[in-house]
Structure formats: structure tokens, C-alpha cells
Amino acid sequence: MRAMVLSKVGEPLTLQSLPDPLPGNDEVLLRVEACGVCRTDLHVVDGELPNIVTPLIPGHECVGIVEVLGPGVSGLKPGQRVGVPWLGGTCHHCEYCRGGRENLCDTPEFTGYTRPGGYASHIVARADYCVPLHHDADPVAIAPLLCAGLIGWRCLAKTGQAKRIGLYGFGAAAHIVTQIACRQQRDVYAFTRAGDITAQTFARSLGAVWAGSSDEMPPVPLDAAILFAPIGDLVPLALRAVKKGGRVVCGGIHMSDIPSFPYRWLWEEREVVSVANLTRADAHDFFAAKECKDIRTATRIYPLEQANQALGDLRAGRLSGAAVLKP
Ligand SMILES: [Zn+2]
Ligand SMILES: [Zn+2]
């Protein structure tokens, strides 16, 4: 198979020819059709996540066709289209797995981090953690849903019944969440890098009622805010934008340090919470929800061997929507 491989943290990925992997017990081999590029991939290649073991194939927004079933697989069949998301496996017996919070499993496996990912022509995945997809789904359009969509969905759920929601960082996740939130009759306030008129125009085109720079105050106090940008300075800014009892949800896996701020910005029962990973139930609920049907993802397609270009464009904020690799 062909794969874009991280050989050393901080260095560009290299295209390599590797032996075709074989699925083990309860695993499947997929032919990759498309793999989205997520900000978490940047945190992996930059070494901002702990315990990165190289060589490593990134990528956890993977859409593929099942080619080979490993021993013991019963729920999938060859020729079926599935998604391989970030949550690649859990232990089933820790207190979190038993308590319905497998996203917090003590010994999890993550696709494109602790398991080989989807920046490749083929991938082996644990069958129980694959997400069945419609056979007529467009692999490129659906790939960003597998992380940006699912994590965005989990973040949105954490805002409860909030009507006015601020989204900080208007990338792949925010452009999906905006569409869902609008269908739920919520008002979206989009916060972008200062002066990023392109992103602000994009946000309004998807239904945001207001768009501005992240250092601006919204025109009205917000009920909740979701931070997708990995910038700790945004936490106190978002706290100041939400009203009494409001909640700030941090959606990223990594963030720069949060600066100190006066307690009164948190007081009046404002909350800061984080979202970590996702559960298989999140994926099930997302793909079953009527407000998530026919989400339009804005994608830019790159050939697999241009993964470094795609990561660079994401890092520099040159994307409207999501980058997707095609092997
Ligand atoms: Zn567990
Ligand atoms: Zn991701």
C-alpha cells in the first residue's frame, strides 16, 4: 500500500510503499476512498500530543470500502462503505467504558495516533468502531463529518438548550455545526481571526446571524460558546461574551495556555468545560439525526501525496471548510 508517513515529529510526511496490512481478529482491511485532514493531525505531526510513536500514519476522518474481514468479524461485509473515526478502540471494562463514557476510556486506541491512520491507500480498523455509511454517500463530502462533524455535534450537545451560540475559529467543525445549529433554530455568532473577511463571509453564507473578529464582543450576550481554535487566549474572551450562567465549551484536543483572568469573568455561574474524543453513540446519533442529513461540507481535494500541502494550508488558515486527501 501507499501511505504518507510521519517518520520523525516535526518533519514533513513522506510517501512510502509499505506491505499491505492484514486484518487481525475483529479487524477489517479497507481500501481508503478519502481521508479528511483535521487540526488534530497538526498536533500529531508537531508532537503536541504525548507519547507519539513513529513511524506513524496520521488521519482519522477516513472513508473506505471493506475489502477483507479478519477472523471473528460478523457485523460488516466486503464491499460495504464505512467510516473510520478518531476513536479506534476501547477496553470495554474500565469505569468509563462501563459507565457509557467510552470517550474517556483509560486505555483507548486512536486512529492516526496510536493506530495507523487514513493517509494511505489502505487501513486496518477494528470492525466494531467503524461507522456504517450509506453506499451512495460521497466519500469526499462525508469524510469531514467523521471528526469535525462528530466532535462538533458533541460540543453542540454540551451547550444544552443555548439559543445564541458563539463559535470561535471558523474551520471545518464550525462550518458543519453552523448548519446543524441553524436547523435547530439557534442563532450562530461566528468569531474568526482578526480581519478574516473570507471566513466571516463564509460563516454568514451558512446562516450565521453575525460574524466578526474573535477579539470583538458580540452585539448581544451569548448563551454559550464553543472554541474550535486551539488558542487559550480565547477562553477569557469567550467567558466575557457569554451571559450569566453561560457555558464555554473547549472542543480541541490541544490548546495553548489559558492566560489568567479576573475571577469575576467566571463568576455568576459561568462554566468552562472541555470535550474529549467521541463515543460510538455520538456517531450513531449524528448520522441518525434529521438535522444532520444532507449537511453540505465545503472541501478542497488534495492527492494523497500532497498531504503536507494540505496540512500547511490548514495551519495557515487558507482553507474555507475542510481539506480531504484522495489516494
Ligand atoms: Zn475503557
Ligand atoms: Zn479530528
Side-chain angles (χ1 to χ4, degrees):
M1 70 171 192
R2 295 180 310 127
M4 290 298 285
V5 178
L6 177 72
S7 297
K8 187 156 181 281
V9 162
E11 291 186 355
L13 310 180
T14 53
L15 182 65
Q16 296 187 13
S17 271
L18 303 169
D20 280 347
L22 284 173
N25 288 342
D26 303 315
E27 292 181 332
V28 288
L29 172 69
L30 313 181
R31 174 174 55 80
V32 177
E33 296 180 291
C35 186
V37 176
C38 173
R39 181 165 294 282
T40 297
D41 302 340
L42 284 178
H43 299 316
V44 168
V45 302
D46 290 346
E48 289 168 328
L49 301 189
N51 305 321
I52 288 175
V53 178
T54 55
L56 169 62
I57 304 170
H60 56 271
E61 295 182 330
C62 181
V63 178
I65 300 290
V66 176
E67 284 198 335
V68 180
L69 304 182
V73 175
S74 57
L76 300 175
K77 53 184 190 296
Q80 184 176 356
R81 174 171 290 127
V82 299
V84 186
W86 172 247
L87 189 73
T90 57
C91 78
H92 299 279
H93 55 71
C94 74
E95 65 170 293
Y96 297 102
C97 283
R98 284 187 282 113
R101 296 196 290 168
E102 66 181 5
N103 60 307
L104 301 178
C105 175
D106 284 334
T107 51
E109 294 180 73
F110 296 120
T111 310
Y113 179 25
T114 66
R115 294 183 63 95
Y119 287 17
S121 61
H122 292 79
I123 183 174
V124 166
R126 282 175 67 172
D128 286 352
Y129 294 82
C130 290
V131 181
L133 299 172
H134 281 296
H135 199 72
D136 55 1
D138 173 359
V140 169
I142 212 163
L145 300 181
L146 289 164
C147 184
L150 297 180
I151 293 289
W153 173 253
R154 191 172 175 88
C155 291
L156 190 58
K158 291 270 186 201
T159 69
Q161 299 300 309
K163 165 86 171 147
R164 292 170 172 159
I165 297 180
L167 301 181
Y168 286 78
F170 208 86
H175 100 286
I176 295 167
V177 168
T178 297
Q179 297 175 60
I180 299 169
C182 289
R183 293 174 185 188
Q184 294 176 336
Q185 313 299 322
R186 309 188 199 223
D187 294 337
V188 171
Y189 295 76
F191 297 82
T192 72
R193 297 180 198 217
D196 190 344
I197 303 301
T198 305
Q200 292 169 14
T201 304
F202 182 49
R204 285 194 203 91
S205 76
L206 293 170
V209 296
W210 177 90
S213 300
S214 53
D215 55 356
E216 286 181 59
M217 280 295 116
V220 293
L222 305 176
D223 300 312
I226 304 173
L227 271 55
F228 291 120
I231 302 165
D233 301 77
L234 294 174
V235 172
L237 284 170
L239 275 170
R240 297 182 73 187
V242 300
K243 67 185 189 187
K244 288 182 283 188
R247 179 177 270 201
V248 174
V249 180
C250 301
I253 193 169
H254 173 83
M255 190 184 259
S256 56
D257 286 354
I258 301 169
S260 68
F261 54 88
Y263 174 61
R264 66 177 181 277
W265 295 356
L266 179 64
W267 189 62
E268 296 173 323
E269 302 197 348
R270 292 174 182 86
E271 296 176 277
V272 179
V273 300
S274 69
V275 157
N277 314 316
L278 65 140
T279 65
R280 285 173 285 176
D282 291 329
H284 176 270
D285 294 349
F286 177 91
F287 285 103
K290 65 178 190 312
E291 62 265 45
C292 299
K293 292 267 180 285
D294 304 317
I295 293 285
R296 288 175 299 123
T297 50
T299 53
R300 187 187 296 175
I301 299 173
Y302 298 76
L304 174 64
E305 50 272 26
Q306 286 180 16
N308 292 310
Q309 177 71 40
L311 287 166
D313 288 344
L314 173 60
R315 187 192 302 281
R318 287 190 290 262
L319 294 165
S320 280
V324 178
L325 305 179
K326 277 192 84 166

